[in-house]
Amino acid sequence: MKVFQHVSDIGDLRKALDEAFEIKADRYKYQQLGKNKTAMLIFFNNSLRTRLSTQKAALNLGMNVIVLDVNQGAWKLETERGMIMESDKSEHLLEAIPVMGCYCDVIGVRSFATFESRKDDYEEKILQQFIKYSGRPVFFMESATVHPLQAFADLITIEEYKNKTLIEPNPLFGGKAISRTPSKRTKVVLTWAPHPKALPQAVPNSFAEWMNAADVDFVITHPKGYELDPEFAGNAPVEYDQMKAFENADFIYAKNWSCPGVTLPEDYGKVLGDYHEFADWTVSDRQMAVTNNAFFMHCLPVRRNMIVTDNVIEAPTSIVIPEAANREISATVVLKRMLESL
Ligand code: AN0
Ligand code: CP
């Protein structure tokens, strides 16, 4: 695998899941594969999970790891070709990228949407340059439009939990054990939830793309105006009534995203209206009550009592921590596939 961006890059999903569970059962099985190979992780934005889980994945495979926070210690980078470089940006991406490529065998990049131009974000202007000029396999660690390591971990988590008939008390917060009857067809709901700041569409885009490819019934719910780009949403039904969408769901996946600008390009990257007016979209016991004892998921970091109430995130059905743990597994599979392609 030379690029990890879309669900199609991982190939057959059943095979990818089998590989994930093989690695989860013995995460050091491929320790020899990465000997004397170096993973470079480039961060243009903050991260806790991606930073840690991807380093751990590289170590699982016996690789060396170099991490660079571009905004802490590196030169400020110009990204536009043709600019007269008289601002505070001392180096151009067109030199920086091939230089980074000299010191490693695979590169992971995190570079969020800037919301300055929908076209530039959706064309993946930054990541495409890494693919073109680094000379190395490139995996996306959340780009302007996708977060595939997260979506793969989410799929692994759904696969692990979908047939559970007993929900144990939450290991951190307690609660009562619950018995549950899994649905014949697993129903997964992606719900928008309010947030004070504009957030990217990368997580919901990838989640939608992966769920559309997976063997589940997938429904999206959000207020009008937040329609995801059809490239990712595909033919997934959109239900604007959140309570209706939640009925009999097995998994609730909450996430905020800003306006994707599909119908009104000028609204791209905006929070539509006052987020206080959408307070009833916060996932609470009220909505969870109409589900099939659904598991609650979120990629984290999450703002409590904005996206989800304390009660829901602390319930035995909340699987946000095992979901985060699976980031190590998805990253190990992806790095393994890249090492195999060198
Ligand atoms: C980012 C986002 O919404 O894309 C990263 C999530 C993994 N979240 C924030 O910036 C809070
Ligand atoms: N879920 C996720 O990617 O978290 P970080 O932003 O902390 O890496």
Side-chain angles (χ1 to χ4, degrees), residues 230-275:
E231 178 191 350
F232 301 102
N235 295 323
V238 176
E239 171 56 69
Y240 293 104
D241 180 337
Q242 191 192 30
M243 285 298 275
K244 229 166 147 186
F246 273 46
E247 279 171 17
N248 301 316
D250 297 292
F251 291 88
I252 298 299
Y253 193 94
K255 182 72 184 85
N256 170 268
W257 62 90
S258 62
C259 177
V262 172
T263 38
L264 290 175
E266 62 272 24
D267 281 347
Y268 173 62
K270 291 196 178 134
V271 176
L272 304 175
D274 180 347
Y275 67 87

Side-chain angles (χ1 to χ4, degrees), residues 139-168:
F139 58 99
F140 288 45
M141 301 197 298
E142 188 172 340
S143 67
T145 67
V146 291
H147 196 0
L149 285 168
Q150 181 66 50
F152 186 13
D154 297 333
L155 177 65
I156 295 167
T157 311
I158 289 169
E159 192 66 18
E160 281 179 327
Y161 281 84
K162 70 179 187 189
N163 293 324
K164 286 226 191 290
T165 51
L166 179 70
I167 302 169
E168 310 273 358

Side-chain angles (χ1 to χ4, degrees), residues 21-32:
F21 294 124
E22 179 201 26
I23 281 166
K24 192 154 180 172
D26 179 6
R27 55 197 77 197
Y28 303 109
K29 188 164 179 182
Y30 299 98
Q31 264 276 313
Q32 294 311 312

